[in-house]
Amino acid sequence: MTTPQAAWPNINTLWAHALVDELARCGLKHVCISPGSRSTPLVVAFANHPDIHDISIIDERQAAFVALGLSLASGQPVALVCTSGTAAAHYYPAICEASSSGVPLLVLTADRPPNLHDTGAPQAIDQTRIFGQHVRWFHQVAEPEPTAEKMRYLRALACRACQRAAGPDAGPVHLNLPFRKPLEPTPLPEGHRDAVPPELLESDPLAMMGRSDDAPYLHTPPTRAILDEATLDTIAGLLASAERPLILAGADHRGNAYASTLIELARRIGAPLIAEPTSGVTRNAELQDAPLHFGDAIFGSSLLTILGAPDLVLRTGKAPLGWAAARAVRSWSHATTILLSPDADPADPDHLSSWHLRAEPATTLRALSRRLSASMRPAIPTNAAWLGAFQQAETLASQSLVAMLQNFRSERPDAPLTTPEIWHALGERLPDGCALMISNSMPIRDVDAFMAQRRAPLQIFFNRGVNGIDGIVATGLGIALARKATGLHAPTVIALGDVALRHDLSALALARELDLPILVLVLDNEGGAIFDELPIANFPDVHTRHFLTSARADITRSAPSAARISEATSPSELHDTLSVFFENPQLQVVVARSERQLDRDLRAALRAGTRTLIDHRSQGDLP
């Protein structure tokens, strides 16, 4: 038998080994490590574990967003490891996003032992609850100690951390781990306070080695919130009695898990199902009935003025993103609004909801459909005219978008490339099974408006927790890493604005190091386009100086030389650059140039044209 001195030359080595061993037993597959001395025991343990993929990322901020993307794409907790001092502070933006989006992360920060705090020791700051309320659980880990009692504590702690991160209220968990020197696997003489006693392995092999069947030390089966029978009966009754039901699927990275059950419920009650591209409900090849996509165009028209407002609204995911949709929701104060989400906080910034069903969506939707099928609603709904009007408006919106884009290019063949054309082309060219990471601000809204006619399967990712534009490239890298680990070969496209890229330029160098099939599509509209849509645009001096960020040369000059950059200023150039990438996917940056004012005018024209077409048909003015 291997002696403790040979396997674990000191308590730090044993301590880190036991922690990592339990994390692996609980299913951990990926860890993002940023270099630093104090975290050496953890780094050595992760590097030596055969079942965990350790990824070295120098910059902690990048590492945290890469871990976020890995977790988003895999659906599993991902670990982060950093040294003491300000290193953990660089995790903060990604931790906030993970907390708000319910993405599981295990944040392992190394620390100086207590006797080095408040003494002027280097790299020693108070890391206790450094992330505040943005983690599901914080635990100040005990100092390593070579006793069976402490080893059992550590193994159980690792299992608890994994369970808390994974859910049901998923999110980041923070363990702060103090280590005293020696940090490396340096042998210590018997009797040293940090040496592992020879008798420890024999006295309590379970504490030292874990369970013999490779199971976690503490079994923590996943739990799912399920509604009681009385509540399910009540909600089913509300759905069955609604004359004008409507279902809105907002942004939700978990949406694919309940997409088919949501569509089935919509079919059963005759409800229009309007799904945002980020809902997880829209791009699934297995779905038989396609949801509606042009929600903002429909809500911007007079359709509901003519038909009447919905009397019941069932919502999943985040609050509606589109401006017209958000305005419409605020006006439905007399409707019964039901939120279905396992999250603790209701996605209801307008405080109009009647119900927050804090339960697992797929199970709840199936239970409701069974009740409606059994006794409360015929298979063919009686409110077919209500549903038909929405379906007709959807068809008109799709046809209008294509026709108006074609007319624009026909009438102005020499006009610069426009953002609506970029998204329309991307929707046509993305291969099936491709991953698309979309930045916030205008891109997340433009994909909803101008790529909605795509029906082929597509994985769409986003950071809609706190809606930031930082870390977009790094998050996309994590998504690509997770897809590669599961054998998915379709490329990953990261679409972001020029301002968002400036927040994450250094991630391009990391992208080259990781050697992944990634296209970074930069929508360069001279920066700050979303502020043209806001009231600040009426104050031109301040608007121009502080809200518009026109500095086009910065992107190409500041990008790392390792990145291959091409530009597209016309539809034909965009077509060619996309073709080059999809024929041979490897890291490429495509800067798609457009003019902000032309984009703004075309967006307005497309919205107005679609709205007019729907209005005329709704009023019976068109054949």
Side-chain angles (χ1 to χ4, degrees), residues 578-612:
L578 292 178
S579 297
V580 168
F581 174 75
F582 291 127
E583 289 171 5
N584 182 24
Q586 54 182 303
L587 175 63
Q588 179 163 351
V589 178
V590 174
V591 182
R593 310 282 195 191
S594 65
E595 293 184 359
R596 193 179 66 253
Q597 187 58 49
L598 181 59
D599 279 351
R600 184 183 184 186
D601 292 343
L602 183 57
R603 283 192 190 96
L606 293 172
R607 290 173 186 150
T610 301
R611 183 168 58 246
T612 299

PDB file of all heavy atoms in Angstrom, residues 578-612:
ATOM      1  N   LEU A 578     -18.407  34.880 -45.042  1.00  0.00           N
ATOM      2  CA  LEU A 578     -19.107  33.792 -44.357  1.00  0.00           C
ATOM      3  C   LEU A 578     -18.826  32.453 -45.039  1.00  0.00           C
ATOM      4  O   LEU A 578     -18.638  31.433 -44.376  1.00  0.00           O
ATOM      5  CB  LEU A 578     -20.612  34.065 -44.328  1.00  0.00           C
ATOM      6  CG  LEU A 578     -21.083  35.240 -43.458  1.00  0.00           C
ATOM      7  CD1 LEU A 578     -22.596  35.412 -43.574  1.00  0.00           C
ATOM      8  CD2 LEU A 578     -20.690  35.029 -41.996  1.00  0.00           C
ATOM      9  N   SER A 579     -18.779  32.474 -46.361  1.00  0.00           N
ATOM     10  CA  SER A 579     -18.498  31.239 -47.104  1.00  0.00           C
ATOM     11  C   SER A 579     -17.117  30.698 -46.772  1.00  0.00           C
ATOM     12  O   SER A 579     -16.940  29.492 -46.572  1.00  0.00           O
ATOM     13  CB  SER A 579     -18.612  31.490 -48.618  1.00  0.00           C
ATOM     14  OG  SER A 579     -19.925  31.857 -48.970  1.00  0.00           O
ATOM     15  N   VAL A 580     -16.141  31.586 -46.693  1.00  0.00           N
ATOM     16  CA  VAL A 580     -14.775  31.168 -46.366  1.00  0.00           C
ATOM     17  C   VAL A 580     -14.748  30.499 -44.999  1.00  0.00           C
ATOM     18  O   VAL A 580     -14.118  29.448 -44.812  1.00  0.00           O
ATOM     19  CB  VAL A 580     -13.815  32.372 -46.402  1.00  0.00           C
ATOM     20  CG1 VAL A 580     -12.468  32.012 -45.781  1.00  0.00           C
ATOM     21  CG2 VAL A 580     -13.631  32.863 -47.831  1.00  0.00           C
ATOM     22  N   PHE A 581     -15.428  31.090 -44.038  1.00  0.00           N
ATOM     23  CA  PHE A 581     -15.411  30.516 -42.690  1.00  0.00           C
ATOM     24  C   PHE A 581     -16.122  29.173 -42.636  1.00  0.00           C
ATOM     25  O   PHE A 581     -15.602  28.202 -42.082  1.00  0.00           O
ATOM     26  CB  PHE A 581     -16.042  31.471 -41.691  1.00  0.00           C
ATOM     27  CG  PHE A 581     -16.194  30.877 -40.319  1.00  0.00           C
ATOM     28  CD1 PHE A 581     -15.095  30.730 -39.480  1.00  0.00           C
ATOM     29  CD2 PHE A 581     -17.434  30.426 -39.858  1.00  0.00           C
ATOM     30  CE1 PHE A 581     -15.218  30.160 -38.222  1.00  0.00           C
ATOM     31  CE2 PHE A 581     -17.570  29.860 -38.607  1.00  0.00           C
ATOM     32  CZ  PHE A 581     -16.460  29.731 -37.779  1.00  0.00           C
ATOM     33  N   PHE A 582     -17.334  29.105 -43.177  1.00  0.00           N
ATOM     34  CA  PHE A 582     -18.107  27.874 -43.048  1.00  0.00           C
ATOM     35  C   PHE A 582     -17.520  26.727 -43.864  1.00  0.00           C
ATOM     36  O   PHE A 582     -17.744  25.552 -43.548  1.00  0.00           O
ATOM     37  CB  PHE A 582     -19.566  28.123 -43.430  1.00  0.00           C
ATOM     38  CG  PHE A 582     -20.296  28.986 -42.451  1.00  0.00           C
ATOM     39  CD1 PHE A 582     -20.981  30.115 -42.868  1.00  0.00           C
ATOM     40  CD2 PHE A 582     -20.289  28.693 -41.103  1.00  0.00           C
ATOM     41  CE1 PHE A 582     -21.648  30.929 -41.960  1.00  0.00           C
ATOM     42  CE2 PHE A 582     -20.945  29.490 -40.177  1.00  0.00           C
ATOM     43  CZ  PHE A 582     -21.627  30.612 -40.609  1.00  0.00           C
ATOM     44  N   GLU A 583     -16.757  27.030 -44.903  1.00  0.00           N
ATOM     45  CA  GLU A 583     -16.087  25.981 -45.656  1.00  0.00           C
ATOM     46  C   GLU A 583     -14.870  25.442 -44.909  1.00  0.00           C
ATOM     47  O   GLU A 583     -14.510  24.277 -45.053  1.00  0.00           O
ATOM     48  CB  GLU A 583     -15.660  26.514 -47.030  1.00  0.00           C
ATOM     49  CG  GLU A 583     -16.838  26.752 -47.977  1.00  0.00           C
ATOM     50  CD  GLU A 583     -16.411  27.490 -49.234  1.00  0.00           C
ATOM     51  OE1 GLU A 583     -15.181  27.732 -49.401  1.00  0.00           O
ATOM     52  OE2 GLU A 583     -17.291  27.831 -50.052  1.00  0.00           O
ATOM     53  N   ASN A 584     -14.226  26.291 -44.109  1.00  0.00           N
ATOM     54  CA  ASN A 584     -13.051  25.876 -43.348  1.00  0.00           C
ATOM     55  C   ASN A 584     -13.070  26.589 -41.999  1.00  0.00           C
ATOM     56  O   ASN A 584     -12.350  27.559 -41.790  1.00  0.00           O
ATOM     57  CB  ASN A 584     -11.779  26.210 -44.114  1.00  0.00           C
ATOM     58  CG  ASN A 584     -10.531  25.739 -43.381  1.00  0.00           C
ATOM     59  OD1 ASN A 584     -10.577  24.817 -42.566  1.00  0.00           O
ATOM     60  ND2 ASN A 584      -9.407  26.395 -43.647  1.00  0.00           N
ATOM     61  N   PRO A 585     -13.920  26.119 -41.052  1.00  0.00           N
ATOM     62  CA  PRO A 585     -14.081  26.838 -39.778  1.00  0.00           C
ATOM     63  C   PRO A 585     -12.796  26.862 -38.951  1.00  0.00           C
ATOM     64  O   PRO A 585     -12.291  25.819 -38.542  1.00  0.00           O
ATOM     65  CB  PRO A 585     -15.183  26.041 -39.064  1.00  0.00           C
ATOM     66  CG  PRO A 585     -15.883  25.278 -40.137  1.00  0.00           C
ATOM     67  CD  PRO A 585     -14.815  24.963 -41.139  1.00  0.00           C
ATOM     68  N   GLN A 586     -12.286  28.027 -38.723  1.00  0.00           N
ATOM     69  CA  GLN A 586     -11.188  28.273 -37.802  1.00  0.00           C
ATOM     70  C   GLN A 586     -11.287  29.727 -37.390  1.00  0.00           C
ATOM     71  O   GLN A 586     -12.022  30.501 -38.008  1.00  0.00           O
ATOM     72  CB  GLN A 586      -9.835  27.975 -38.450  1.00  0.00           C
ATOM     73  CG  GLN A 586      -9.596  28.702 -39.760  1.00  0.00           C
ATOM     74  CD  GLN A 586      -8.267  28.316 -40.376  1.00  0.00           C
ATOM     75  OE1 GLN A 586      -7.234  28.463 -39.752  1.00  0.00           O
ATOM     76  NE2 GLN A 586      -8.298  27.801 -41.602  1.00  0.00           N
ATOM     77  N   LEU A 587     -10.583  30.084 -36.339  1.00  0.00           N
ATOM     78  CA  LEU A 587     -10.749  31.413 -35.779  1.00  0.00           C
ATOM     79  C   LEU A 587     -10.645  32.501 -36.845  1.00  0.00           C
ATOM     80  O   LEU A 587      -9.646  32.585 -37.558  1.00  0.00           O
ATOM     81  CB  LEU A 587      -9.704  31.675 -34.684  1.00  0.00           C
ATOM     82  CG  LEU A 587      -9.718  33.091 -34.113  1.00  0.00           C
ATOM     83  CD1 LEU A 587     -11.040  33.389 -33.423  1.00  0.00           C
ATOM     84  CD2 LEU A 587      -8.556  33.282 -33.149  1.00  0.00           C
ATOM     85  N   GLN A 588     -11.699  33.287 -36.933  1.00  0.00           N
ATOM     86  CA  GLN A 588     -11.700  34.412 -37.858  1.00  0.00           C
ATOM     87  C   GLN A 588     -12.553  35.533 -37.273  1.00  0.00           C
ATOM     88  O   GLN A 588     -13.604  35.291 -36.677  1.00  0.00           O
ATOM     89  CB  GLN A 588     -12.247  34.014 -39.230  1.00  0.00           C
ATOM     90  CG  GLN A 588     -12.271  35.189 -40.217  1.00  0.00           C
ATOM     91  CD  GLN A 588     -12.407  34.744 -41.658  1.00  0.00           C
ATOM     92  OE1 GLN A 588     -12.314  33.564 -41.963  1.00  0.00           O
ATOM     93  NE2 GLN A 588     -12.632  35.686 -42.544  1.00  0.00           N
ATOM     94  N   VAL A 589     -12.079  36.757 -37.462  1.00  0.00           N
ATOM     95  CA  VAL A 589     -12.828  37.938 -37.063  1.00  0.00           C
ATOM     96  C   VAL A 589     -13.311  38.630 -38.332  1.00  0.00           C
ATOM     97  O   VAL A 589     -12.502  38.972 -39.203  1.00  0.00           O
ATOM     98  CB  VAL A 589     -11.966  38.909 -36.231  1.00  0.00           C
ATOM     99  CG1 VAL A 589     -12.769  40.157 -35.863  1.00  0.00           C
ATOM    100  CG2 VAL A 589     -11.442  38.224 -34.975  1.00  0.00           C
ATOM    101  N   VAL A 590     -14.612  38.794 -38.453  1.00  0.00           N
ATOM    102  CA  VAL A 590     -15.193  39.515 -39.587  1.00  0.00           C
ATOM    103  C   VAL A 590     -15.818  40.795 -39.061  1.00  0.00           C
ATOM    104  O   VAL A 590     -16.723  40.751 -38.226  1.00  0.00           O
ATOM    105  CB  VAL A 590     -16.255  38.668 -40.324  1.00  0.00           C
ATOM    106  CG1 VAL A 590     -16.937  39.496 -41.401  1.00  0.00           C
ATOM    107  CG2 VAL A 590     -15.618  37.425 -40.920  1.00  0.00           C
ATOM    108  N   VAL A 591     -15.314  41.914 -39.513  1.00  0.00           N
ATOM    109  CA  VAL A 591     -15.850  43.214 -39.122  1.00  0.00           C
ATOM    110  C   VAL A 591     -16.827  43.644 -40.205  1.00  0.00           C
ATOM    111  O   VAL A 591     -16.425  43.999 -41.320  1.00  0.00           O
ATOM    112  CB  VAL A 591     -14.733  44.257 -38.948  1.00  0.00           C
ATOM    113  CG1 VAL A 591     -15.324  45.591 -38.495  1.00  0.00           C
ATOM    114  CG2 VAL A 591     -13.697  43.773 -37.933  1.00  0.00           C
ATOM    115  N   ALA A 592     -18.116  43.571 -39.896  1.00  0.00           N
ATOM    116  CA  ALA A 592     -19.171  43.950 -40.848  1.00  0.00           C
ATOM    117  C   ALA A 592     -19.517  45.416 -40.628  1.00  0.00           C
ATOM    118  O   ALA A 592     -20.086  45.779 -39.602  1.00  0.00           O
ATOM    119  CB  ALA A 592     -20.390  43.063 -40.660  1.00  0.00           C
ATOM    120  N   ARG A 593     -19.155  46.261 -41.593  1.00  0.00           N
ATOM    121  CA  ARG A 593     -19.320  47.701 -41.452  1.00  0.00           C
ATOM    122  C   ARG A 593     -20.710  48.145 -41.893  1.00  0.00           C
ATOM    123  O   ARG A 593     -21.217  47.729 -42.935  1.00  0.00           O
ATOM    124  CB  ARG A 593     -18.297  48.440 -42.320  1.00  0.00           C
ATOM    125  CG  ARG A 593     -16.854  47.978 -42.167  1.00  0.00           C
ATOM    126  CD  ARG A 593     -16.241  48.529 -40.914  1.00  0.00           C
ATOM    127  NE  ARG A 593     -14.778  48.385 -40.947  1.00  0.00           N
ATOM    128  CZ  ARG A 593     -14.002  48.595 -39.911  1.00  0.00           C
ATOM    129  NH1 ARG A 593     -14.527  48.978 -38.768  1.00  0.00           N
ATOM    130  NH2 ARG A 593     -12.692  48.433 -39.997  1.00  0.00           N
ATOM    131  N   SER A 594     -21.310  48.973 -41.110  1.00  0.00           N
ATOM    132  CA  SER A 594     -22.572  49.607 -41.505  1.00  0.00           C
ATOM    133  C   SER A 594     -22.567  51.038 -40.989  1.00  0.00           C
ATOM    134  O   SER A 594     -21.723  51.414 -40.181  1.00  0.00           O
ATOM    135  CB  SER A 594     -23.781  48.848 -40.942  1.00  0.00           C
ATOM    136  OG  SER A 594     -23.803  48.902 -39.530  1.00  0.00           O
ATOM    137  N   GLU A 595     -23.512  51.837 -41.490  1.00  0.00           N
ATOM    138  CA  GLU A 595     -23.630  53.221 -41.057  1.00  0.00           C
ATOM    139  C   GLU A 595     -24.788  53.339 -40.084  1.00  0.00           C
ATOM    140  O   GLU A 595     -25.906  52.930 -40.383  1.00  0.00           O
ATOM    141  CB  GLU A 595     -23.844  54.149 -42.258  1.00  0.00           C
ATOM    142  CG  GLU A 595     -22.636  54.230 -43.178  1.00  0.00           C
ATOM    143  CD  GLU A 595     -22.837  55.228 -44.300  1.00  0.00           C
ATOM    144  OE1 GLU A 595     -23.946  55.847 -44.358  1.00  0.00           O
ATOM    145  OE2 GLU A 595     -21.916  55.390 -45.126  1.00  0.00           O
ATOM    146  N   ARG A 596     -24.509  53.920 -38.949  1.00  0.00           N
ATOM    147  CA  ARG A 596     -25.490  53.948 -37.877  1.00  0.00           C
ATOM    148  C   ARG A 596     -26.794  54.616 -38.304  1.00  0.00           C
ATOM    149  O   ARG A 596     -27.889  54.115 -38.030  1.00  0.00           O
ATOM    150  CB  ARG A 596     -24.904  54.656 -36.651  1.00  0.00           C
ATOM    151  CG  ARG A 596     -25.720  54.464 -35.384  1.00  0.00           C
ATOM    152  CD  ARG A 596     -25.093  55.147 -34.193  1.00  0.00           C
ATOM    153  NE  ARG A 596     -25.084  56.593 -34.337  1.00  0.00           N
ATOM    154  CZ  ARG A 596     -23.994  57.315 -34.582  1.00  0.00           C
ATOM    155  NH1 ARG A 596     -22.830  56.710 -34.704  1.00  0.00           N
ATOM    156  NH2 ARG A 596     -24.071  58.619 -34.709  1.00  0.00           N
ATOM    157  N   GLN A 597     -26.714  55.752 -38.992  1.00  0.00           N
ATOM    158  CA  GLN A 597     -27.928  56.466 -39.371  1.00  0.00           C
ATOM    159  C   GLN A 597     -28.731  55.674 -40.404  1.00  0.00           C
ATOM    160  O   GLN A 597     -29.962  55.614 -40.341  1.00  0.00           O
ATOM    161  CB  GLN A 597     -27.583  57.849 -39.927  1.00  0.00           C
ATOM    162  CG  GLN A 597     -28.803  58.733 -40.203  1.00  0.00           C
ATOM    163  CD  GLN A 597     -29.651  58.962 -38.955  1.00  0.00           C
ATOM    164  OE1 GLN A 597     -29.131  59.322 -37.902  1.00  0.00           O
ATOM    165  NE2 GLN A 597     -30.957  58.741 -39.065  1.00  0.00           N
ATOM    166  N   LEU A 598     -28.032  55.047 -41.356  1.00  0.00           N
ATOM    167  CA  LEU A 598     -28.739  54.233 -42.346  1.00  0.00           C
ATOM    168  C   LEU A 598     -29.401  53.045 -41.663  1.00  0.00           C
ATOM    169  O   LEU A 598     -30.542  52.685 -41.993  1.00  0.00           O
ATOM    170  CB  LEU A 598     -27.768  53.765 -43.427  1.00  0.00           C
ATOM    171  CG  LEU A 598     -28.369  52.908 -44.545  1.00  0.00           C
ATOM    172  CD1 LEU A 598     -29.475  53.664 -45.275  1.00  0.00           C
ATOM    173  CD2 LEU A 598     -27.273  52.477 -45.528  1.00  0.00           C
ATOM    174  N   ASP A 599     -28.692  52.421 -40.718  1.00  0.00           N
ATOM    175  CA  ASP A 599     -29.295  51.327 -39.950  1.00  0.00           C
ATOM    176  C   ASP A 599     -30.568  51.785 -39.241  1.00  0.00           C
ATOM    177  O   ASP A 599     -31.599  51.098 -39.263  1.00  0.00           O
ATOM    178  CB  ASP A 599     -28.307  50.812 -38.896  1.00  0.00           C
ATOM    179  CG  ASP A 599     -27.281  49.852 -39.472  1.00  0.00           C
ATOM    180  OD1 ASP A 599     -27.435  49.452 -40.637  1.00  0.00           O
ATOM    181  OD2 ASP A 599     -26.330  49.509 -38.748  1.00  0.00           O
ATOM    182  N   ARG A 600     -30.465  52.944 -38.631  1.00  0.00           N
ATOM    183  CA  ARG A 600     -31.610  53.459 -37.877  1.00  0.00           C
ATOM    184  C   ARG A 600     -32.798  53.712 -38.809  1.00  0.00           C
ATOM    185  O   ARG A 600     -33.934  53.339 -38.494  1.00  0.00           O
ATOM    186  CB  ARG A 600     -31.224  54.749 -37.159  1.00  0.00           C
ATOM    187  CG  ARG A 600     -32.324  55.310 -36.272  1.00  0.00           C
ATOM    188  CD  ARG A 600     -31.892  56.629 -35.642  1.00  0.00           C
ATOM    189  NE  ARG A 600     -32.904  57.133 -34.726  1.00  0.00           N
ATOM    190  CZ  ARG A 600     -32.831  58.312 -34.128  1.00  0.00           C
ATOM    191  NH1 ARG A 600     -31.784  59.112 -34.352  1.00  0.00           N
ATOM    192  NH2 ARG A 600     -33.783  58.707 -33.301  1.00  0.00           N
ATOM    193  N   ASP A 601     -32.537  54.297 -39.956  1.00  0.00           N
ATOM    194  CA  ASP A 601     -33.618  54.594 -40.904  1.00  0.00           C
ATOM    195  C   ASP A 601     -34.238  53.310 -41.441  1.00  0.00           C
ATOM    196  O   ASP A 601     -35.475  53.211 -41.574  1.00  0.00           O
ATOM    197  CB  ASP A 601     -33.082  55.447 -42.060  1.00  0.00           C
ATOM    198  CG  ASP A 601     -32.677  56.843 -41.625  1.00  0.00           C
ATOM    199  OD1 ASP A 601     -33.092  57.276 -40.528  1.00  0.00           O
ATOM    200  OD2 ASP A 601     -31.924  57.508 -42.379  1.00  0.00           O
ATOM    201  N   LEU A 602     -33.388  52.318 -41.755  1.00  0.00           N
ATOM    202  CA  LEU A 602     -33.921  51.071 -42.312  1.00  0.00           C
ATOM    203  C   LEU A 602     -34.712  50.307 -41.257  1.00  0.00           C
ATOM    204  O   LEU A 602     -35.770  49.741 -41.561  1.00  0.00           O
ATOM    205  CB  LEU A 602     -32.781  50.214 -42.857  1.00  0.00           C
ATOM    206  CG  LEU A 602     -33.201  48.909 -43.532  1.00  0.00           C
ATOM    207  CD1 LEU A 602     -34.178  49.177 -44.675  1.00  0.00           C
ATOM    208  CD2 LEU A 602     -31.982  48.136 -44.034  1.00  0.00           C
ATOM    209  N   ARG A 603     -34.216  50.273 -40.023  1.00  0.00           N
ATOM    210  CA  ARG A 603     -34.985  49.628 -38.963  1.00  0.00           C
ATOM    211  C   ARG A 603     -36.374  50.246 -38.856  1.00  0.00           C
ATOM    212  O   ARG A 603     -37.383  49.543 -38.756  1.00  0.00           O
ATOM    213  CB  ARG A 603     -34.266  49.762 -37.618  1.00  0.00           C
ATOM    214  CG  ARG A 603     -33.096  48.838 -37.383  1.00  0.00           C
ATOM    215  CD  ARG A 603     -32.683  48.888 -35.922  1.00  0.00           C
ATOM    216  NE  ARG A 603     -31.424  48.191 -35.685  1.00  0.00           N
ATOM    217  CZ  ARG A 603     -30.245  48.784 -35.644  1.00  0.00           C
ATOM    218  NH1 ARG A 603     -30.150  50.106 -35.816  1.00  0.00           N
ATOM    219  NH2 ARG A 603     -29.155  48.085 -35.418  1.00  0.00           N
ATOM    220  N   ALA A 604     -36.414  51.566 -38.832  1.00  0.00           N
ATOM    221  CA  ALA A 604     -37.696  52.269 -38.708  1.00  0.00           C
ATOM    222  C   ALA A 604     -38.601  51.946 -39.881  1.00  0.00           C
ATOM    223  O   ALA A 604     -39.817  51.725 -39.712  1.00  0.00           O
ATOM    224  CB  ALA A 604     -37.456  53.769 -38.599  1.00  0.00           C
ATOM    225  N   ALA A 605     -38.033  51.911 -41.094  1.00  0.00           N
ATOM    226  CA  ALA A 605     -38.845  51.619 -42.281  1.00  0.00           C
ATOM    227  C   ALA A 605     -39.379  50.192 -42.248  1.00  0.00           C
ATOM    228  O   ALA A 605     -40.540  49.941 -42.603  1.00  0.00           O
ATOM    229  CB  ALA A 605     -38.010  51.847 -43.541  1.00  0.00           C
ATOM    230  N   LEU A 606     -38.554  49.249 -41.828  1.00  0.00           N
ATOM    231  CA  LEU A 606     -38.999  47.859 -41.749  1.00  0.00           C
ATOM    232  C   LEU A 606     -40.101  47.682 -40.710  1.00  0.00           C
ATOM    233  O   LEU A 606     -41.093  46.989 -40.950  1.00  0.00           O
ATOM    234  CB  LEU A 606     -37.813  46.954 -41.409  1.00  0.00           C
ATOM    235  CG  LEU A 606     -36.723  46.822 -42.482  1.00  0.00           C
ATOM    236  CD1 LEU A 606     -35.522  46.069 -41.936  1.00  0.00           C
ATOM    237  CD2 LEU A 606     -37.260  46.131 -43.729  1.00  0.00           C
ATOM    238  N   ARG A 607     -39.927  48.321 -39.566  1.00  0.00           N
ATOM    239  CA  ARG A 607     -40.968  48.236 -38.541  1.00  0.00           C
ATOM    240  C   ARG A 607     -42.271  48.853 -39.035  1.00  0.00           C
ATOM    241  O   ARG A 607     -43.350  48.279 -38.872  1.00  0.00           O
ATOM    242  CB  ARG A 607     -40.510  48.954 -37.276  1.00  0.00           C
ATOM    243  CG  ARG A 607     -39.393  48.260 -36.514  1.00  0.00           C
ATOM    244  CD  ARG A 607     -38.909  49.142 -35.394  1.00  0.00           C
ATOM    245  NE  ARG A 607     -37.740  48.601 -34.699  1.00  0.00           N
ATOM    246  CZ  ARG A 607     -36.806  49.332 -34.130  1.00  0.00           C
ATOM    247  NH1 ARG A 607     -36.898  50.661 -34.144  1.00  0.00           N
ATOM    248  NH2 ARG A 607     -35.785  48.765 -33.536  1.00  0.00           N
ATOM    249  N   ALA A 608     -42.169  50.034 -39.631  1.00  0.00           N
ATOM    250  CA  ALA A 608     -43.368  50.733 -40.094  1.00  0.00           C
ATOM    251  C   ALA A 608     -44.060  49.949 -41.201  1.00  0.00           C
ATOM    252  O   ALA A 608     -45.295  49.826 -41.226  1.00  0.00           O
ATOM    253  CB  ALA A 608     -42.999  52.135 -40.571  1.00  0.00           C
ATOM    254  N   GLY A 609     -43.281  49.413 -42.144  1.00  0.00           N
ATOM    255  CA  GLY A 609     -43.874  48.676 -43.250  1.00  0.00           C
ATOM    256  C   GLY A 609     -44.580  47.422 -42.785  1.00  0.00           C
ATOM    257  O   GLY A 609     -45.683  47.109 -43.232  1.00  0.00           O
ATOM    258  N   THR A 610     -43.947  46.696 -41.871  1.00  0.00           N
ATOM    259  CA  THR A 610     -44.560  45.478 -41.343  1.00  0.00           C
ATOM    260  C   THR A 610     -45.815  45.808 -40.547  1.00  0.00           C
ATOM    261  O   THR A 610     -46.854  45.134 -40.687  1.00  0.00           O
ATOM    262  CB  THR A 610     -43.555  44.731 -40.454  1.00  0.00           C
ATOM    263  OG1 THR A 610     -42.398  44.409 -41.219  1.00  0.00           O
ATOM    264  CG2 THR A 610     -44.165  43.462 -39.899  1.00  0.00           C
ATOM    265  N   ARG A 611     -45.717  46.843 -39.724  1.00  0.00           N
ATOM    266  CA  ARG A 611     -46.867  47.247 -38.919  1.00  0.00           C
ATOM    267  C   ARG A 611     -48.045  47.643 -39.810  1.00  0.00           C
ATOM    268  O   ARG A 611     -49.199  47.254 -39.559  1.00  0.00           O
ATOM    269  CB  ARG A 611     -46.464  48.406 -38.018  1.00  0.00           C
ATOM    270  CG  ARG A 611     -47.566  48.867 -37.075  1.00  0.00           C
ATOM    271  CD  ARG A 611     -47.012  49.813 -36.029  1.00  0.00           C
ATOM    272  NE  ARG A 611     -46.372  50.988 -36.625  1.00  0.00           N
ATOM    273  CZ  ARG A 611     -45.083  51.277 -36.554  1.00  0.00           C
ATOM    274  NH1 ARG A 611     -44.261  50.452 -35.912  1.00  0.00           N
ATOM    275  NH2 ARG A 611     -44.591  52.370 -37.108  1.00  0.00           N
ATOM    276  N   THR A 612     -47.782  48.386 -40.876  1.00  0.00           N
ATOM    277  CA  THR A 612     -48.846  48.825 -41.782  1.00  0.00           C
ATOM    278  C   THR A 612     -49.495  47.637 -42.469  1.00  0.00           C
ATOM    279  O   THR A 612     -50.732  47.582 -42.619  1.00  0.00           O
ATOM    280  CB  THR A 612     -48.272  49.797 -42.827  1.00  0.00           C
ATOM    281  OG1 THR A 612     -47.738  50.936 -42.158  1.00  0.00           O
ATOM    282  CG2 THR A 612     -49.346  50.239 -43.810  1.00  0.00           C
TER     283      THR A 612
END
